[in-house]
Amino acid sequence: MSDPVILSSGHTFDRASIQRWLDAGHRSCPITKLSLPDPPSLIPNHALRSLISNFTLLSLPKPPQTPNPQSLIHLLTSRSSQLEQKLNSLDQLARLCKRDSSIRRRLAESGAVSAVLNCIGSGEPGLQEKSLHFVLNLSLDDDCKIGLVAEGIVGKIVYALHCGVGDSRAVAATVLTSLAVLEVNKVTIGSYPDAIPGLVSLLQIGNSRERKEAATALFTLCSFSDNRIRAIQSGAVPILIQNADSGLERAVEVLGLLAKCKLARDEMLRFCGFLDVLIGIVSNGSSRGVQYALLTLSSLCCYNEKMGLEALREGLFETCVGLLEDDNEKVRRNANMLIQILQGKRKNV
């Protein structure tokens, strides 16, 4: 209620609301149902209006002040700043750049990146992790993705992959995934000496979140063919198979990409029990896991006669026929492709 008025019945209403009632043709009080004079008189309730005005002035929250990015950057770079001030500055910068793309671009051009890069390389766990979160938010913008790589961020992220503490290693892998969405960055990141080996190492020794983020980054990077070779040469195949066997389906997705390479297929065929791992995922995995397990099996069964015959003996043909009714179009397509390959093996038996 902002403009209270009194009817002749003695009751008070908001002017706009009671006017709609009267405009609809009503000539009675909505509460008492008593008849109103024609035309009805609306008497301003000055006392109540004054109370409402005073309450509104007291109750309205003050609009939050947007912090000045340059002041926050100064706190980060100043030697006199306390650790708590730097952490608070990073929090505010991260919130600012998460808000909208124009702020992200302004921050990228304001000198924030170089200041934050120094924090990533610091030995202070809190500074490192918050800096990585800021960079992750900044990388939401494609122009910023290119600018960050041009600023030399890949080396700092790789350092965090190897030497990060707390959640820093997982966030570093996530940053690489975000940056590698752009094809040009896939090339730059992949060619950095310790980037892909660092992800493979994290996939082997990391906790569950770190392994999942490392596998996601590898999947994004390995859509570029040269990076598949780098991953294979870094020992990714057996580590991915072990992770897939442990239930990390994201590892199967990477294997599906690597299976396009002869070098990877040869390694997969040498790994005892890999067929059972893939069949288990086809039988019990999520739609995406089934999709990539079928893709990997198609590559292997087409490439190796023995693998195809073994898959037939394990009943994979019948399993694929059942998947032709699956709701997921990609699962149906990959199942049909594998059926065609296995039918060719059947004719040769």
Side-chain angles (χ1 to χ4, degrees):
M1 186 180 291
S2 58
D3 187 6
V5 292
I6 306 170
L7 279 185
S8 59
S9 64
H11 289 278
T12 298
F13 301 89
D14 183 65
R15 183 184 292 275
S17 301
I18 194 62
Q19 192 64 57
R20 281 196 301 272
W21 170 265
L22 297 173
D23 290 345
H26 300 287
R27 286 299 178 266
S28 61
C29 173
I31 296 175
T32 65
K33 308 302 181 188
L34 293 175
S35 297
L36 299 173
D38 196 10
S41 60
L42 301 177
I43 305 166
N45 189 331
H46 295 294
L48 182 56
R49 186 171 186 173
S50 177
L51 286 171
I52 291 170
S53 178
N54 291 336
F55 176 80
T56 304
L57 288 172
L58 290 171
S59 304
L60 281 178
K62 294 180 180 178
Q65 289 186 335
T66 302
N68 184 340
Q70 289 298 339
S71 300
L72 297 174
I73 295 165
H74 175 72
L75 282 172
L76 276 180
T77 55
S78 174
R79 292 183 178 181
S80 61
S81 295
Q82 300 296 314
L83 175 61
E84 197 61 38
Q85 290 176 302
K86 292 185 177 183
L87 293 172
N88 182 54
S89 295
L90 282 168
D91 272 337
Q92 292 190 67
L93 285 168
R95 283 196 295 270
L96 280 174
C97 69
K98 193 175 183 179
R99 210 170 293 163
D100 62 64
S101 58
S102 63
I103 291 177
R104 287 194 288 274
R105 285 192 291 272
R106 276 170 42 210
L107 282 171
E109 296 164 0
S110 67
V113 174
S114 58
V116 172
L117 288 184
N118 292 329
C119 294
I120 294 176
S122 75
E124 166 54 45
L127 272 182
Q128 187 179 68
E129 188 177 328
K130 288 182 183 296
S131 299
L132 288 166
H133 277 292
F134 166 72
V135 169
L136 181 59
N137 289 345
L138 202 60
S139 71
L140 294 172
D141 188 271
D142 282 354
D143 289 339
C144 290
K145 284 179 171 67
I146 295 171
L148 286 167
V149 172
E151 291 253 14
I153 197 171
V154 176
K156 297 290 186 180
I157 301 300
V158 171
Y159 169 82
L161 273 181
H162 288 280
C163 305
V165 292
D167 288 336
S168 291
R169 295 193 299 182
V171 181
T174 310
V175 173
L176 287 181
T177 301
S178 179
L179 295 174
V181 168
L182 297 184
E183 292 299 313
V184 65
N185 285 351
K186 286 181 174 68
V187 179
T188 306
I189 295 169
S191 61
Y192 196 89
D194 294 322
I196 288 177
L199 290 169
V200 173
S201 175
L202 190 59
L203 192 60
Q204 183 174 29
I205 65 173
N207 59 35
S208 59
R209 182 191 171 193
E210 290 169 346
R211 287 186 289 111
K212 183 178 179 180
E213 296 299 341
T216 303
L218 282 171
F219 178 79
T220 307
L221 286 165
C222 287
S223 64
F224 177 60
S225 58
D226 287 2
N227 288 340
R228 294 175 207 149
I229 301 298
R230 294 183 178 110
I232 296 163
Q233 292 172 340
S234 299
V237 171
I239 295 170
L240 286 164
I241 294 174
Q242 289 163 2
N243 275 274
D245 193 24
S246 300
L248 182 62
E249 288 193 353
R250 194 60 55 85
V252 186
E253 298 173 22
V254 186
L255 288 166
L257 293 179
L258 298 186
K260 297 178 180 181
C261 302
K262 178 181 181 300
L263 188 61
R265 293 194 295 270
D266 288 337
E267 278 203 61
M268 292 176 193
L269 291 168
R270 288 195 295 269
F271 197 97
C272 182
F274 185 39
L275 178 61
D276 293 334
V277 173
L278 291 175
I279 291 175
I281 294 168
V282 169
S283 301
N284 304 304
S286 67
S287 287
R288 192 169 172 85
V290 172
Q291 174 192 335
Y292 279 93
L294 289 170
L295 185 66
T296 307
L297 283 163
S298 295
S299 296
L300 294 174
C301 291
C302 184
Y303 176 66
N304 185 269
E305 186 78 16
K306 183 180 176 183
M307 174 67 91
L309 295 174
E310 193 176 342
L312 282 170
R313 285 194 295 271
E314 293 292 334
L316 188 58
F317 183 88
E318 292 75 16
T319 302
C320 287
V321 171
L323 289 171
L324 293 177
E325 303 298 322
D326 195 88
D327 292 337
N328 187 301
E329 188 272 333
K330 290 181 179 178
V331 169
R332 295 197 303 271
R333 186 178 65 205
N334 287 357
N336 185 60
M337 179 172 61
L338 185 51
I339 286 171
Q340 304 304 316
I341 294 168
L342 293 177
Q343 279 179 330
K345 305 297 179 186
R346 268 181 156 181
K347 291 175 184 177
N348 296 333
V349 175

